[in-house]
Amino acid sequence: MPLNPRQLRMYRFKVDVYRLLPAPSQGAMGLYAPDPHQAGVPCYFDPTPEYDQPSAVGRNKVENIFTLDGFWFPGEYLPEGGDADVPVDVVDTDMLIMRSVVGPMTSLIGIWWAAKGNAQPHPYLLDDYMVYAKRTGTKPPPGVSA
């Protein structure tokens, strides 16, 4: 089903989700697929505020291990150019990259986050899922060129 009016207002950001390749019997481990697992996934970005360095885009300290930003996703969405509903599929170790933003947060485009844990149902919005993710910077993960 297409997003309802509440979801259209809420899920105004878009991310691409990249997934680790299956570990080969020989060769390098820890490589991500060069193409997104899911592209253009609508989401709501919930940044963690930076108390000692205020910023509209949340905490900027990549090395701070305690800083996790939240991503809220609809349970299902209609992908761009698609004709069927697709469930949101984000798991631990997935990498998220911000592709489009709404408002003054354009500096988030091209920033990568590492998902910490699988998508969990949101306790108050039953059809929605939430993922916490750690900001990793602008460098793509191994195996991804852009």
Side-chain angles (χ1 to χ4, degrees), residues 5-93:
R6 177 192 63 82
Q7 290 173 319
L8 286 173
R9 285 190 307 274
M10 184 172 174
Y11 299 113
R12 300 184 302 169
F13 299 86
K14 294 209 182 207
V15 297
D16 290 351
V17 179
Y18 285 80
R19 182 146 299 162
L20 275 171
L21 289 170
S25 59
Q26 305 166 4
M29 291 180 22
L31 292 178
Y32 284 80
D35 298 318
H37 173 68
Q38 288 185 308
V41 181
C43 70
Y44 171 75
F45 176 64
D46 185 18
T48 303
E50 176 66 73
Y51 296 108
D52 62 347
Q53 183 182 355
S55 170
V57 297
R59 294 188 180 198
N60 296 316
K61 296 181 180 174
V62 173
E63 68 276 1
N64 184 340
I65 63 170
F66 302 109
T67 304
L68 295 175
D69 295 318
F71 288 85
W72 297 13
F73 297 99
E76 292 185 342
Y77 68 99
L78 190 65
E80 295 174 10
D83 57 0
D85 294 333
V86 175
V88 171
D89 183 21
V90 179
V91 298
D92 192 33
T93 72

